[in-house]
Amino acid sequence: MSNEIMKKLPEDVIIYTLLRFSVKSLLRFKFISKCWYTLIQSSRFKNIHINGTTTTNNEFIIFSRSFKETEGFKNVLSINSSNDHNDLVLLDLDLPYLNFTRGFNELVGPCNGLIVLTDNDVIVLFNPATRNYMSLPPSPFVCQKGFHRSFKGGIGFGFDSIGNDYKFVRISEVFLDAYWGPEKQEKKVEVYDLCIDSWRDVNADMDQQFPSVFSYPSFEILHHGIFHWYAKRDRIYVILCFDISTEIFHIMNMPDSCNVFDGKCYSLTVLNRLLTLICYPNSNNDLNQHTMDIWIMMEYNIHHSWTKMYIIKPFPIEFPLTTWRDHLLLLQSKSGLLISYDLNSNQVKEFDLHAYPKSLRVIVFKESLISIPKRGP
């Protein structure tokens, strides 16, 4: 399409046409002409692109997995490059951070096509579609002598629609080295603002006692502009919520049957755009004694709207990973393989993708043109 034709066509028609192409193609189109470059780089086009309807053609999967080596773990980041719904073709991504660590990497997101990769020490913001990334600066916080800092929960990440900025939130506990009792600990909450490239403290006060946060595989997610963690308060399992825009915490209760005595573990995901809680058997217990139950919150933050939608017969898994195409549940088996469970047909499929047990992390995302700023040296 020449510049002359572009000038004659309404901009909305051009945008509608360009939205049919992949991000990879759009990045190439930017170099056709100055007009194309300006349009594709514009905030308007990027926002229309990311807010467009998600289809099976623009939905992708990214995997983080680990392999045991002598001194630690080799971590591999891969993306599914196949359009075949029944198979995976993995393309390994070269990211110069977190390739070798003492533990497993965590994936957080997505938010507008952006994903966070972290081992709690290093935090990397990454756009899988454009391959742009940046490493966040370390927090300036330093424990006083005689104190120890522990990161129980993972990194929260989301977009502040009021401040028009991306934020990261991290919850930690500061203990006195000599004694790890609850009266000797302090909750610390830090927020990183991408637009000013800086960390700051946030008040962690709540109307009631601030809960203890725990890192559960595939629990920490962003939904409705609110980030969610697995937490425990007064021997009760709860969901700790943080509004990315208002920076206010609140508690969301799980279904009444979910408690410390049910022998279950928990995973949080989104199914058909609704917050979904997966209660699955603890691998240390007799799997034949427990089913996998899937609860869906039909109205967000309305406790009585929790509805048990699926009861799945037990089979040997480590934990659920995510949902895909609104009917496939992706899980890691006890042997480390990726498997899927079809909620419609009850069929189980095993994929040729292996990882060290409990190390596999998966995120389904939509391609995005959102830029990631470059930090100075």
Side-chain angles (χ1 to χ4, degrees):
M1 190 183 298
S2 68
N3 287 341
E4 292 302 320
I5 297 177
M6 280 193 65
K7 291 177 181 178
K8 295 178 181 179
L9 290 175
E11 187 176 88
D12 289 346
V13 173
I14 299 172
I15 289 176
Y16 176 78
T17 303
L18 291 176
L19 289 176
R20 301 168 66 90
F21 292 91
S22 67
V23 166
K24 185 176 181 180
S25 296
L26 293 173
L27 293 176
R28 291 199 304 263
F29 293 166
K30 290 197 307 181
F31 299 100
I32 292 178
S33 71
K34 186 176 180 179
C35 292
W36 284 65
Y37 181 90
T38 301
L39 177 60
I40 296 172
Q41 281 290 95
S42 68
S43 298
R44 178 171 182 250
F45 182 81
K46 289 179 179 180
N47 290 334
I48 294 174
H49 180 269
I50 195 60
N51 291 318
T53 303
T54 300
T55 67
T56 57
N57 293 325
N58 62 13
E59 195 176 51
F60 297 85
I61 311 178
I62 191 166
F63 303 89
S64 176
R65 51 203 168 119
S66 302
F67 301 94
K68 188 76 173 72
E69 295 193 348
T70 305
E71 299 296 329
F73 290 92
K74 177 184 178 183
N75 297 299
V76 177
L77 192 66
S78 309
I79 189 170
N80 178 32
S81 60
S82 172
N83 291 324
D84 186 350
H85 301 174
N86 298 312
D87 200 6
L88 299 175
V89 177
L90 296 186
L91 174 66
D92 290 346
L93 304 176
D94 183 20
L95 197 66
Y97 301 98
L98 306 171
N99 289 329
F100 189 85
T101 65
R102 294 185 299 274
F104 308 147
N105 288 337
E106 297 292 337
L107 290 177
V108 184
C111 177
N112 293 339
L114 304 183
I115 289 169
V116 174
L117 180 68
T118 180
D119 63 357
N120 265 334
D121 291 326
V122 179
I123 305 170
V124 178
L125 178 61
F126 181 52
N127 185 331
T130 64
R131 306 295 197 267
N132 295 135
Y133 58 85
M134 66 169 282
S135 176
L136 270 63
S139 165
F141 175 76
V142 178
C143 284
Q144 298 179 7
K145 185 176 180 180
F147 288 82
H148 169 79
R149 189 181 193 188
S150 174
F151 294 99
K152 292 295 186 68
I155 301 294
F157 169 63
F159 180 70
D160 176 358
S161 58
I162 297 175
N164 193 32
D165 187 24
Y166 290 91
K167 293 179 180 177
F168 300 73
V169 57
R170 183 161 63 174
I171 302 172
S172 60
E173 295 180 350
V174 179
F175 296 91
L176 186 65
D177 281 342
Y179 185 76
W180 282 47
E183 65 273 23
K184 296 292 184 180
Q185 73 180 32
E186 175 189 357
K187 298 290 192 303
K188 185 172 183 62
V189 180
E190 298 171 287
V191 167
Y192 171 85
D193 301 287
L194 184 62
C195 65
I196 60 175
D197 188 26
S198 179
W199 290 94
R200 56 185 169 85
D201 291 341
V202 170
N203 194 331
D205 290 342
M206 299 183 67
D207 293 338
Q208 299 175 338
Q209 177 189 356
F210 198 94
S212 296
V213 178
F214 299 92
S215 184
Y216 248 33
S218 306
F219 195 100
E220 298 150 5
I221 67 165
L222 179 75
H223 184 57
H224 282 328
I226 295 173
F227 202 83
H228 305 75
W229 290 270
Y230 173 76
K232 188 177 179 181
R233 185 172 66 182
D234 298 330
R235 295 177 59 83
I236 298 175
Y237 295 137
V238 296
I239 301 171
L240 177 63
C241 307
F242 179 78
D243 190 306
I244 296 294
S245 295
T246 65
E247 300 184 1
I248 295 175
F249 285 98
H250 71 271
I251 294 295
M252 182 186 294
N253 290 317
M254 295 186 185
D256 294 334
S257 62
C258 301
N259 55 66
V260 294
F261 307 108
D262 68 359
K264 298 286 184 70
C265 297
Y266 305 99
S267 175
L268 203 61
T269 185
V270 175
L271 184 64
N272 293 312
R273 300 186 179 183
L274 298 173
L275 193 68
T276 301
L277 180 70
I278 303 174
C279 309
Y280 59 99
N282 188 322
S283 59
N284 296 324
N285 297 337
D286 183 0
L287 297 179
N288 293 322
Q289 300 298 317
H290 299 281
T291 58
M292 183 188 303
D293 303 326
I294 299 182
W295 293 80
I296 295 180
M297 181 172 267
M298 307 306 292
E299 296 183 61
Y300 184 74
N301 203 25
I302 303 298
H303 178 69
H304 63 75
S305 74
W306 281 118
T307 304
K308 187 186 288 189
M309 298 295 293
Y310 301 95
I311 300 175
I312 301 173
K313 294 181 180 180
F315 57 99
I317 66 163
E318 285 290 356
F319 46 74
L321 296 165
T322 190
T323 54
W324 184 29
R325 307 192 191 285
D326 282 333
H327 70 96
L328 293 175
L329 181 60
L330 299 183
L331 316 99
Q332 184 175 27
S333 71
K334 294 187 70 64
S335 63
L337 283 172
L338 174 71
I339 57 177
S340 68
Y341 179 87
D342 193 314
L343 295 172
N344 295 332
S345 66
N346 299 322
Q347 291 184 337
V348 178
K349 177 179 174 60
E350 190 174 273
F351 292 92
D352 185 20
L353 190 154
H354 189 272
Y356 190 81
K358 300 185 179 181
S359 75
L360 186 59
R361 303 292 186 267
V362 180
I363 283 181
V364 177
F365 69 97
K366 179 184 175 182
E367 281 194 319
S368 164
L369 286 163
I370 301 298
S371 302
I372 295 176
K374 294 184 178 180
R375 292 185 60 240

